Structure formats: structure tokens, C-alpha cells
Amino acid sequence: MSHYFIDDKSVKSDIRTIEYEYKGHKMSFKTDNGLFSKEHVDYASNILINELPDMYGKVLDLGCGYGPIGIALAKAYHIDLTMVDINSKAVEFSRMNCQTNGVKADIVLSDGLKEIQEVFDNIILNPPIHAGKQVIYNMYEDCYRHLSNGGSFYLIIQKKHGAKTSIEKLETIFEEINTLYKKKGFYVLECIKYDGE
């Protein structure tokens, strides 16, 4: 079985177009087999997008897939957007969807943040739960390192996918954790970095 969080070029193509609206901006996304939630913007990502505060500055959409989170934010706010995914098809479709929706972004093929040097004011992640706890915890630590002082890391996680242990891990990394949303087993968390510099 192929997973969206690996780079598998053997998956047969079945391109479709889906529609999405955020803060009055209508968007159109092309998706395909081998991409996460290809038939609609997934439930968790939709919650995450809609619970985020106003975005500013340099924003990283980590694990961008075909791009709905980053593109929606770029349509609504004046941000300097970077999008990252391990899956080359996701990067290809993010580029296509940015062009279709009139969004400028730096789109990078990278295993997590390995190919990224910059720091960001805001980092957004819907974690690839099935990649495993250690992969996700490494992402949390990398996000801290790539945040500016006072910057925020936002993520969504379900209770059944280990929200409690994730929060405990995040509390060992970040100086401040705020729960922005907690309903039906979903948590949207804001993790703020104060590194004293």
C-alpha cells in the first residue's frame, strides 16, 4: 500500500478538481491518487484553517500536500509563503494549484525541514499520523528550530491519535502552548517560541 507521506511514483493517476472557500475566497484545487484527501479538503485541515488566527510574515505550510492550507492562507492574508512536502507529486500539484489560484509560494521537495534553512513567523502542520510518533516528534523539534523568537507553530491532532502525549512532548519543546479548539476529539494547538534572544 502506498502512503501520501512517501514519494511513490508508481501510483496510477486519476486527476480531479475540487472546490474550496475560505474567508470569501473561492479556490479550485487539482488532486490525484497518491495525495492525501484527494476528494475534498479533509475534515481536520478544514478545522485547522478556520481556527487559525490572522496570519502574517513568513509562513510555512509543512506537509502541504496539494496545497489547500497554504493557498487558502495566502488568498486571505499578505504573507510570504513556503510550502514543503516529501512527496514529489504533492510538490507538483501545489505548484499547479498556486498558479491556478494566483498565489506566489516557494515550494520545496523535502523530507520534513531537511532542505529548509530559513526561519518563519508561523508554521502550520496537519501531522502525518501514520508516519509514526517518532517522525512527528522530530517534526515538532524541527519546527521549534525554524521559528523566529515569538513565532507560533500551529497543528491539529485527534485524541485517538495521541493528543495527550503530543501535548506532553510539545510542552518539553515550546515555552507556551494554547488550545485554540477542542471539540469531538480534535485539538488545534498554538505553540509559541520564546528563546530569550
Side-chain angles (χ1 to χ4, degrees):
M1 180 182 172
S2 185
H3 290 284
Y4 60 87
F5 53 82
I6 62 172
D7 193 14
D8 184 352
K9 295 178 178 64
S10 69
V11 177
K12 188 178 176 185
S13 186
D14 177 25
I15 296 172
R16 63 190 65 202
T17 301
I18 61 173
E19 307 298 325
Y20 187 67
E21 186 170 341
Y22 175 66
K23 292 189 181 291
H25 297 276
K26 292 183 178 178
M27 289 156 275
S28 175
F29 301 122
K30 279 196 166 30
T31 75
D32 198 359
N33 289 339
L35 298 175
F36 175 61
S37 194
K38 67 170 187 172
E39 295 181 3
H40 52 81
V41 174
D42 76 290
Y43 186 75
S45 292
N46 183 58
I47 292 172
L48 178 57
I49 294 166
N50 283 284
E51 293 301 321
L52 291 171
D54 292 356
M55 287 286 112
Y56 65 91
K58 288 175 67 86
V59 176
L60 173 65
D61 177 6
L62 178 57
C64 63
Y66 54 82
I69 294 175
I71 291 169
L73 295 175
K75 294 295 284 185
Y77 305 106
H78 295 292
I79 57 174
D80 179 359
L81 177 64
T82 299
M83 301 164 74
V84 170
D85 207 283
I86 192 173
N87 182 331
S88 59
K89 182 178 273 191
V91 167
E92 175 194 346
F93 274 73
S94 283
R95 287 201 176 106
M96 199 186 309
N97 289 327
C98 279
Q99 191 169 12
T100 298
N101 292 286
V103 164
K104 286 185 178 178
D106 184 15
I107 305 168
V108 182
L109 179 66
S110 177
D111 180 358
L113 288 159
K114 288 178 182 170
E115 304 300 321
I116 303 294
Q117 270 74 52
E118 307 101 292
V119 295
F120 300 90
D121 301 300
N122 297 283
I123 299 176
I124 323 295
L125 174 67
N126 181 357
I129 294 300
H130 301 295
K133 187 182 285 188
Q134 197 52 56
V135 169
I136 292 165
Y137 286 5
N138 289 343
M139 292 174 101
Y140 295 167
E141 291 169 352
D142 287 345
C143 286
Y144 184 89
R145 284 192 286 272
H146 283 271
L147 275 176
S148 58
N149 188 26
S152 295
F153 167 47
Y154 298 94
L155 72 150
I156 186 162
I157 191 158
Q158 288 189 67
K159 185 177 181 181
K160 70 179 183 182
H161 290 151
K164 185 174 182 290
T165 52
S166 254
I167 291 167
E168 288 168 359
K169 176 64 178 177
L170 290 162
E171 285 172 343
T172 71
I173 303 169
F174 290 86
E175 285 74 26
E176 182 180 336
I177 313 280
N178 299 308
T179 302
L180 304 184
Y181 177 95
K182 183 182 174 184
K183 284 182 190 169
K184 297 179 181 175
F186 286 90
Y187 293 73
V188 174
L189 305 172
E190 174 187 53
C191 310
I192 304 174
K193 174 178 181 175
Y194 302 116
D195 60 11
E197 291 178 8

